Structure formats: C-alpha cells, structure tokens
Amino acid sequence: MAVPTLHSQRPTAHFTAERNWINDPNGLIQLDSVYHLFYQHNPNGPFWGDMHWGHATSRDLVHWKHQPLALFPDHNYDAAGVFSGCAVRVGDVVYFHYTGVQVNTPVSGAQGRPCLAISRDGLRTFEKHPANPLVAEPPAGVGGGDFRDHSIWREADGWHMAVGASIEQKFGAVWHYRSDDLVKWDDLGPMIVDDAPARNGQMWECPDFFALGNQHVLLTSPIPLAKTISMVGSWNGRTFTPAAAPRTHVYGGCFYAPQSFWDEAGRRIEIGWLWEKDQPQNRQPHPRGWAGAMSLPRVLSLADNGALLAQPAPEIERLRRDERALEAATQDETVLENIAGDYLEMHVRLEASAGGRAGIAVRRSPDGAEQTRIICDFARRELWVDRTHAGSGTDDNADPCPLPSAGDAIDLRILIDHSVLEIYIDGGRACWIDRIYPARADSIGVSLFAEAGIASLQGRAWEWAE
Ligand code: DQQ
C-alpha cells in the first residue's frame, strides 16, 4: 500500500480561513444553488478581536472558495465589532441581521444591538440599514453585555427573531421579537428562560431556533459551558417548552455556536465552529498564522423517538477513494494493515465481550508512543477520546459521551481531516468532535484495542482525496 502523504495540521475538507482568526458561522444561506458561509473573522491577526464577517462559497459543501470580506466594523453602532447573525431571503434581497457592538470592554461587556445589512446583488455588496441599531436598548433585566446573536424565521403572522440573552447575568434566556418588514421589531418578551444555571450556564449565546418535523429545536451555546446544548420541544408562537432537559449537542469540547439553515433540497444543514485546542488563550496570536475551523456540514433530523440526529452531509462521501474492508479482533491491540493516514474515513461496527472496554486508536505512530484513543466502555456505557498521547494541545477533560444504544456493540463513523476528528455514533444519535495535533510524521496508523475483554471490528474504510 502506498504511504499516504502527510499533510499539515490544517484541515482541508473542513473550512479554514486562508490566514488569521475565525469563529462562529454566520448568515448561512443557499442562493441559486450556491452555498454561502459567512463567519466571524479577524482579518488582522490569528486571535479573537476586530470582528468582521468573512465570506466563502461552495457548490457542494465540500470545496469552499474564499470571497472578499462582507461586513466591516465601520459605523458608530458596530465600531467595536460585527458580531454573529443570520440571513433570510425575500425575493432577490437577502437580509443579514447581525449584532453591532458599539463598545466592548471587559467591564461593561459587549454592548450588542440587533443591526441589519442588506444585499441586493446576489451577495456581492452589503449595505448597512439607516435604521441601525434596530433595537435601541436590551430589554429590562437583560444586561447590555448579554444580548446578542440572532435566529430569524417566518410564520403566518410575520417574521420572528430570537436573540441570545441572560437575565440578571444569572439565567440563560432567549428573547423574542416579531416584525412585518424585518426592520421594525416588537418585543414579545422571553421565549424561554432557563432555571438551572448550574447545569445550563448563565448566558445563552447564538440561539438557533427552527421547526423540524412536528417539533421545534433550540440550539444554544451557554457561557461558561464552552459547548452547545440542544432542546427539542413545543412552540406556541410565544414560548418554547423543551420536552426534556437540554442535552449536549456535540461532545469533545471544541464545537460551538452552530448555525443551521434550510437548503434548496429541503435539508436542515448545520455548521459549527471548531476552536483550536493548542492555543487556549484566544487573545494571543496563534503561531500557525490561522486559527479556527468549521465543522463538516451536518444534516439534522429527528429520530422516531424524537431525538435530534446529526449526520455529515452525504456530499462528503465524494472524498472517498479506494474502499477497503476492515476486519480485526484482539485481546490486546492489533494494527489495521489496510488503512492509514491523516485524511480518511472509517465506518465500523465495534464489538466487545460483555461489559468490556475497547476502542480504536488513530493518528498512531508505529511504536504507539503517539496516538489518539477512541474508547468505548460498555460497562460504564460511555465513549470518550483520550488525547493524553495525541500530540500537542490541552487535554481538557471533556465530559464522556453516554452510549446512545444498549448492548456491547456500537456503530462508529470516524472522519479524520488532519487536526480534526469527527466521530458519529449509532447513526448520528451522538457525536464527538475533537482537535488533535500529532507531532510525528509517522502518526498515521490505526489500531483496534481491547482494554478489558475481547474486541472485534468489521466495516469499511476509505482514504480521502480532493
Ligand atoms: N462570538 C461572537 C458573538 C457570539 C460569540 C463574537 C460566540 O456574537 O456570542 O465573535 O462565540
């Protein structure tokens, strides 16, 4: 077998900026078959700050083309940053609601207000609206630094907007507005206020709210949890009532601030920001010169039992080359002979003897000194990624992911794109996304291991190529 080329730590199927910093996806929309990804971007350095909106386009959700910067902090009301927001289309006109930050200090926080930019020429130019900021003050009880990020949808009675908020800097909340023209917004009060800040955080950033099947879904990224939570529930036009306590949307501790949109094929597609784990201080320049990646585009759906499912968009399968069968068993560890690399995909069924503990090591050096271990503990009923020997970067003790199904076998779809590892469990019923930075050029091996009992796996694997 040919030795695969070792690429850099920069992912290629996952979007990154050519240089400098990126965070949240913004303004996701498909227009005349072209997908548009806008994103939080500091064009002046590989660290968080000076927020603009970057812009990229794709025809297949796999290959992205960089476009000129879309939104600049060039007005008094957004001088301290063009923060996150969304896009909606009315005929040929696209409306971008974003958070204009006038002042951003550690003391007063980001003084965010809903603002609007409009594109009338197929997303080439963007005009800020003269009525900005569209909402002059945050609602009473919501601090000025705790009011930002937008999700907009249409109902029979007009446009609705959700804004991320906190009540008294204690309870996560989402504020609700309604409009006839996307410019003048009426305050309808909170659509949800959380009452469990110890579990669900204190400020709900980046709400993403949408109908899915006969349910409604709310995704939000609470401060200080550093992760996204999901809720499925019911909507009465004024308030959202989750059917159950919020769930961790993606495990692994680097996926944040996702946004989703309906594409022209009627799919709800989500993209989230993946931060770097080898640069904990996001205000320091990253030595690589670029920082931040987007997750693969993920199709959201509901399972028969109402659980939220996420699966990579099928377009990703176009990267597959040279399908091969995988089959192995071990009481200890066995290196898989017919798959290796830093740009590949495996889809396997992993099985352990009753109550065993087994897993798959990826980005593994031949001597095993460097490796990233995906571990399934069928007794504790948990999966996690052990990054202790994965290379550089912090091991931030991300919470383990509860196994979504019963039994001593699990379906794992593992996608490796250089420094990004995405793992889809049991058909997207759970997901772990991680960042890994092996130092060694020969850390490309894959092994099956058993830590307790016997392990076996069966499945298929592909190297990826553009
Ligand atoms: N990122 C943006 C904010 C948002 C935060 C600023 C979440 O609008 O609340 O870059 O990562």
Side-chain angles (χ1 to χ4, degrees):
M1 190 181 70
V3 177
T5 319
L6 186 79
H7 303 266
S8 71
Q9 291 169 333
R10 186 195 275 276
T12 55
H14 293 74
F15 176 82
T16 56
E18 283 175 299
R19 63 187 73 82
N20 296 326
W21 170 272
I22 68 171
N23 56 293
D24 320 348
N26 293 152
L28 301 181
I29 193 164
Q30 189 180 19
L31 205 62
D32 303 330
S33 80
V34 176
Y35 292 98
H36 292 261
L37 163 67
F38 297 85
Y39 54 90
Q40 290 284 282
H41 182 42
N42 179 357
N44 302 314
F47 54 90
W48 187 90
D50 198 15
M51 281 297 138
H52 292 57
W53 276 29
H55 182 196
T57 51
S58 174
R59 290 193 169 268
D60 63 1
L61 294 171
V62 183
H63 302 92
W64 294 93
K65 197 169 159 198
H66 295 287
Q67 300 292 346
L69 284 172
L71 297 182
F72 296 70
D74 52 8
H75 285 68
N76 186 39
Y77 52 76
D78 61 16
V82 180
F83 278 20
S84 287
C86 60
V88 291
R89 175 184 187 172
V90 182
D92 288 338
V93 180
V94 180
Y95 291 71
F96 294 92
H97 288 79
Y98 68 94
T99 300
V101 177
Q102 191 164 355
V103 194
N104 188 8
T105 70
V107 180
S108 58
Q111 303 287 316
R113 304 285 183 276
C115 292
L116 173 61
I118 293 180
S119 181
R120 300 174 194 278
D121 59 0
L123 306 189
R124 271 180 281 280
T125 62
F126 307 84
E127 281 164 47
K128 302 237 175 115
H129 198 279
N132 284 343
L134 305 183
V135 174
E137 290 299 331
V142 173
D146 289 332
F147 183 60
R148 61 181 171 277
D149 311 331
H150 313 269
S151 174
I152 293 184
W153 67 98
R154 176 102 194 148
E155 292 190 15
D157 68 347
W159 295 98
H160 291 253
M161 170 165 71
V163 183
S166 160
I167 308 294
E168 294 163 359
Q169 300 184 307
K170 285 195 195 117
F171 304 100
V174 179
W175 218 267
H176 179 206
Y177 290 84
R178 198 202 71 84
S179 175
D180 290 321
D181 59 3
L182 290 162
V183 176
K184 186 180 168 308
W185 291 92
D186 297 325
D187 179 343
L188 299 188
M191 51 190 270
I192 180 169
V193 177
D194 182 52
D195 58 4
R199 190 184 58 210
N200 303 325
Q202 284 103 52
M203 154 58 193
W204 282 8
E205 296 192 296
C206 299
D208 186 28
F209 186 67
F210 50 95
L212 196 60
N214 57 1
Q215 299 287 304
H216 276 75
V217 175
L218 175 63
L219 299 167
T220 181
S221 300
I223 294 174
L225 301 190
K227 67 176 182 181
T228 300
I229 56 176
S230 70
M231 288 158 261
V232 178
S234 56
W235 169 244
N236 64 11
R238 281 296 179 106
T239 51
F240 172 64
T241 308
R247 301 184 54 198
T248 298
H249 186 45
V250 173
Y251 287 82
C254 65
F255 177 101
Y256 201 73
Q259 190 173 103
S260 64
F261 67 106
W262 292 110
D263 81 350
E264 289 167 356
R267 305 179 298 178
R268 189 79 192 179
I269 297 190
E270 172 193 58
I271 295 178
W273 165 42
L274 309 181
W275 60 65
E276 305 299 325
K277 284 193 171 180
D278 61 350
Q279 178 73 332
Q281 287 298 327
N282 67 10
R283 309 256 173 167
Q284 299 294 318
H286 197 293
R288 267 198 302 271
W290 60 272
M294 294 300 165
S295 71
L296 294 175
R298 300 146 43 89
V299 179
L300 301 178
S301 61
L302 288 183
D304 291 344
N305 67 359
L308 185 61
L309 302 178
Q311 298 260 39
E315 285 89 334
I316 299 301
E317 292 165 27
R318 295 183 191 162
L319 295 169
R320 293 173 172 176
R321 302 285 183 276
D322 302 331
E323 177 170 322
R324 61 212 71 177
L326 298 182
E327 187 149 18
T330 187
Q331 272 187 300
D332 176 22
E333 181 172 24
T334 181
V335 171
L336 305 186
E337 295 301 337
N338 56 349
I339 185 72
D342 61 0
Y343 195 47
L344 58 82
E345 177 180 349
M346 292 179 278
H347 190 171
V348 300
R349 183 172 170 80
L350 171 71
E351 210 162 335
S353 44
R357 180 157 147 158
I360 296 169
V362 298
R363 301 299 311 262
R364 182 188 185 281
S365 59
D367 60 3
E370 191 165 74
Q371 56 174 290
T372 300
R373 288 167 83 78
I374 303 163
I375 303 178
C376 297
D377 190 319
F378 292 101
R380 283 165 50 182
R381 315 246 19 106
E382 289 173 346
L383 175 146
W384 68 97
V385 171
D386 180 354
R387 302 168 67 256
T388 314
H389 302 289
S392 58
T394 50
D395 191 8
D396 36 26
N397 298 318
D399 292 338
C401 169
L403 297 186
S405 314
D408 296 309
I410 191 167
D411 179 273
L412 294 177
R413 191 163 162 209
I414 300 169
L415 308 110
I416 301 174
D417 181 4
H418 309 103
S419 59
V420 181
L421 170 63
E422 296 204 13
I423 306 164
Y424 290 83
I425 305 162
D426 287 337
R429 293 177 64 199
C431 178
W432 185 294
I433 301 183
D434 223 317
R435 302 301 305 274
I436 50 172
Y437 310 94
R440 287 174 55 167
D442 60 356
S443 291
I444 52 172
V446 178
S447 77
L448 169 71
F449 61 82
E451 292 185 353
I454 299 171
S456 63
L457 74 69
Q458 261 194 328
R460 298 177 298 157
W462 304 261
E463 285 175 25
W464 277 359
E466 298 306 316

